[in-house]
Amino acid sequence: MFDADDRRFMRQALRLAEKGLGLASPNPSVGCVVVKDGAVVGRGWHEYARKDHAEVVALAKAGGAARGATAYVTLEPCSHQGRTGPCADRLVQAGVRRVVAAVGDPNPKVAGRGFEKLRRAGVIVDVGLDADAAGKVVEGFACHVTTGLPLVVAKAGMSLDGKIGTGFPEGKAISSPAGREFGQLLRLGADAILVGVETVLADDPALTWRGRLPKGRPLLRVVLDSALRTPPAARLFARRADGGGDGIEAPVLLFCAAGAPAERQAALEAAGAEVVAVSGRGGELKLPEVLKELGRRNVLSVLVEGGSRIHGSFLARNLVDVFYFIVSPIVLGGAGAVPVVGGRGYEATATAPRFRMRGRWQVGDDMVLEAYPATSRSIVSPWLDE
């Protein structure tokens, strides 16, 4: 069904789609390449602020050359009226002869209707080229649009023996500069970053996007703090601009238990935080309620950066969709070193979470392991191959 040219042009469309990471949310990031007689006549990718979808941008650049052309698109063209008109209609009106799509749109408002509309108009439609790579680009969107909840992406920089801290105040950095840069790329693609209050108290992190690429939505900084122990003087409230210096202020959202002290809430709100109470017991907040609130705010993916107790809580409740372990070639040892996953642990290997690796690659001196638990809701989970 697909030849070498199809693969080459779809790879170009995928590279365009990746440009939308950090800019397309809460819409999916999509790339489109229009090809006529073996030559590219139009390219496009989606930025939420600019409204036009990738297909519309590419068709505008192609102009009359789109008639009889092939459009390579990473996601099924939409068939419904949203902020813009249906892309399937625009492709038909432009006279495109063939559409090659990587994946269907998981949005129930589309879900095959775009392909159906194209075929009814006589357009040849071929689907499935580079589906796994295209699915990865829209992983967060797919989770949110089908469940109403964000994709939960966990990340930890760790030693070879599975530690994220020495237990001593000195030398907190474990990952190499390249490993830390990879962590920033994860922040670029996320709508929110989440830590527990213990991380705030121990490290006083800013939790901002510090990369050079533009980020369309400010990174929502989320802290789980049942008793509101976050200091009002924490770096979170330094009013630092997010998104590569574009002046967008990154908001702070604190989740607490219903009985948290009112005077602490008032002080934190005065510092700039929004405080939301959720159910909890014994100092543990109900994480499904947290995720539901984030989903209500159109957070497509949340990056969980820890610490140890938070990772343990999310894994114990089967709420992690993908876990990035950034492994540095050092050993920390010591009974007081902090493990990647804290909490109660598992009494038997039979009950421990099982993972499958989707990828592994080197970043500087570190190795990144892209691991999916069996309970992952991701559309590219390796467990779906069964």
Side-chain angles (χ1 to χ4, degrees):
M1 180 189 299
F2 304 113
D3 59 21
D5 283 341
D6 290 333
R7 295 183 178 87
R8 176 163 59 93
F9 293 126
M10 182 58 78
R11 284 194 294 270
Q12 292 185 31
L14 284 166
R15 286 194 292 270
L16 291 171
E18 289 169 354
K19 288 187 175 183
L21 293 175
L23 292 172
S25 182
N27 284 353
S29 184
V30 181
C32 178
V33 174
V34 179
V35 177
K36 180 73 170 290
D37 298 328
V40 175
V41 294
R43 294 182 177 89
W45 51 283
H46 179 55
E47 291 184 50
Y48 186 78
R50 297 185 180 180
K51 291 190 178 181
D52 284 342
H53 291 183
E55 300 94 320
V56 174
V57 175
L59 289 172
K61 292 179 179 178
R67 186 160 299 279
T70 296
Y72 295 85
V73 62
T74 57
L75 186 69
E76 176 182 359
C78 61
S79 58
H80 66 291
Q81 178 71 44
R83 293 201 309 160
T84 62
C87 289
D89 289 352
R90 299 290 289 270
L91 289 163
V92 171
Q93 292 162 7
V96 168
R97 180 185 67 86
R98 179 185 179 219
V99 170
V100 179
V103 290
D105 193 332
N107 187 345
K109 294 180 179 179
V110 183
R113 295 180 181 88
F115 294 146
E116 180 183 353
K117 181 174 285 190
L118 290 168
R119 289 183 173 120
R120 282 203 310 264
V123 178
I124 300 168
V125 177
D126 294 318
V127 184
L129 180 59
D130 282 332
D132 190 60
K136 184 63 183 176
V137 175
V138 297
E139 189 177 24
F141 170 78
C143 183
H144 183 267
V145 80
T146 54
T147 68
L149 303 174
L151 185 84
V152 177
V153 181
K155 166 254 174 182
M158 57 183 283
S159 63
L160 286 171
D161 54 340
K163 309 297 184 181
I164 61 172
T166 64
F168 298 97
E170 304 83 15
K172 294 180 179 179
I174 292 178
S175 299
S176 68
R180 294 195 292 274
E181 180 66 23
F182 174 75
Q184 284 294 315
L185 287 176
L186 292 179
R187 292 186 184 188
L188 173 65
D191 292 330
I193 181 170
L194 183 150
V195 299
V197 66
E198 297 296 342
T199 294
V200 174
L201 295 174
D203 300 336
D204 194 19
L207 300 178
T208 53
W209 157 242
R210 298 187 295 275
R212 291 183 297 273
L213 295 173
K215 187 171 175 62
R217 292 180 72 180
L219 185 64
L220 176 63
R221 296 174 290 171
V222 181
V223 180
L224 303 187
D225 185 2
S226 59
L228 293 180
R229 293 185 293 146
T230 297
R235 290 177 65 206
L236 287 167
F237 307 114
R239 298 291 195 271
R240 178 172 177 172
D242 201 25
D246 59 9
I248 301 175
E249 189 175 303
V252 178
L253 177 61
L254 300 182
F255 284 98
C256 67
E263 67 276 9
R264 293 184 187 173
Q265 178 172 341
L268 289 166
E269 288 175 340
E274 180 183 357
V275 180
V276 174
V278 295
S279 302
R281 185 172 61 181
E284 291 277 345
L285 300 178
K286 287 194 175 180
L287 297 181
E289 290 187 22
V290 170
L291 294 180
K292 185 176 180 180
E293 175 61 23
L294 294 179
R296 188 185 66 80
R297 295 168 183 250
N298 279 332
V299 170
L300 305 189
S301 65
V302 55
L303 178 62
V304 178
E305 290 205 354
S308 178
R309 179 182 176 185
I310 295 297
H311 285 317
S313 295
F314 272 89
L315 283 172
R317 290 158 181 78
N318 296 325
L319 294 176
V320 174
D321 296 305
V322 54
F323 208 130
Y324 289 95
F325 298 95
I326 307 173
V327 186
S328 295
I330 60 172
V331 171
L332 294 181
V338 183
V340 174
V341 179
R344 185 169 178 268
Y346 300 88
E347 296 179 359
T349 57
T351 59
R354 294 285 175 177
F355 292 82
R356 286 184 179 168
M357 300 299 168
R358 184 178 177 273
R360 54 177 67 83
W361 57 89
Q362 198 82 20
V363 289
D365 293 332
D366 302 339
M367 176 67 71
V368 176
L369 304 178
E370 185 183 45
Y372 284 74
T375 54
S376 173
R377 300 163 300 155
S378 169
I379 61 170
V380 295
S381 168
W383 295 90
L384 298 177
D385 295 337
E386 291 185 340

